[in-house]
Amino acid sequence: MYQRFILALFRNPKQIGAVVPSSQSLARAMASEVDLASQTVLELGPGTGVITQALLSRGIKMQQLILLERDGALAGLLSSRFPDTRVIKGDASKLENLVNPCGSRPIDTIVSSLPLLNMKREDRLAVLQQVFSVLDEDGKLIQFTYSAKAPIQKELASQLDVKGRKVTTVLKNLPPASVWIYGRSVEENSNVLGAKNSEKFS
Ligand SMILES: C[S@@+](CC[C@H](N)C(=O)[O-])C[C@H]1O[C@@H](n2cnc3c(N)ncnc32)[C@H](O)[C@@H]1O
């Protein structure tokens, strides 16, 4: 798996946006934010499937999972690792058409490894508009970032009419990463630097 990740990294470093796959600690921290009442969970940029595996261990069933990955070889790897998930090879900026071509039910939870801060501002906006258009009114986007700053800047979040807060920082990851949640009904944290359960997953 590591080798597949490195090959993908050589093919398109900016799109991959990381030097190694996510750690088990980060994967568990992301998965622990998923509400188990979710009917459908969409994972964006699952890469080699480390977080996908953590979602399954948390109790989400393969049939509830949609995996959207732009890299063809990684999408192939995901299909063979998780045969009962719905794997879509495609770009998150076309999310609405790819995931919900008939305008069917909204998604409860989106778990994202997308390197949002590596994207040009207009690409980031296009992806996030799609994210919040397929997400249920009370749904949640779970996103990690390697940056000390929020993965979605405050002004962009207000433009999208969502709020966000940092829930944890995972030191056992290369590099350390913070997990944020966003949504229309998410409560902002007054002290975003001091997430309550920081390092719980380190
Ligand atoms: C940080 S890596 C994923 C790490 C993953 N959690 C792992 O452990 O393998 C980011 C992933 O997002 C995918 N990606 C980047 N931009 C994308 C886009 N616009 N649409 C879909 N996938 C994208 C990349 O191909 C890559 O697999």
Side-chain angles (χ1 to χ4, degrees), residues 160-178:
L160 294 159
D161 200 20
V162 296
K163 291 193 174 128
R165 89 184 129 87
K166 180 159 83 170
V167 289
T168 195
T169 298
V170 179
L171 299 180
K172 240 188 193 173
N173 191 72
L174 193 66
S178 297

Side-chain angles (χ1 to χ4, degrees), residues 1 5 8 12 14-23 26-27 43-52 68-72 74 78 88-94 98 112-116 119 123 127 144 146:
M1 264 183 349
F5 187 91
N12 199 336
K14 209 165 170 198
Q15 176 183 303
I16 298 296
V19 285
V20 286
S22 305
S23 68
L26 176 58
E43 193 183 345
L44 300 178
T48 54
V50 180
I51 295 177
T52 317
L68 177 67
E69 171 55 57
R70 189 157 80 175
D71 184 279
L74 291 176
L78 293 163
I88 304 172
K89 184 207 163 291
D91 191 320
S93 64
K94 313 271 179 332
L98 290 168
S112 165
S113 295
L114 294 179
L116 287 180
M119 295 177 186
D123 294 343
V127 167
F144 75 77
Y146 303 125

Side-chain angles (χ1 to χ4, degrees), residues 14-40:
K14 209 165 170 198
Q15 176 183 303
I16 298 296
V19 285
V20 286
S22 305
S23 68
Q24 300 289 338
S25 301
L26 176 58
R28 277 202 309 276
M30 295 283 282
S32 75
E33 290 303 320
V34 175
D35 183 347
L36 288 178
S38 302
Q39 300 281 311
T40 309

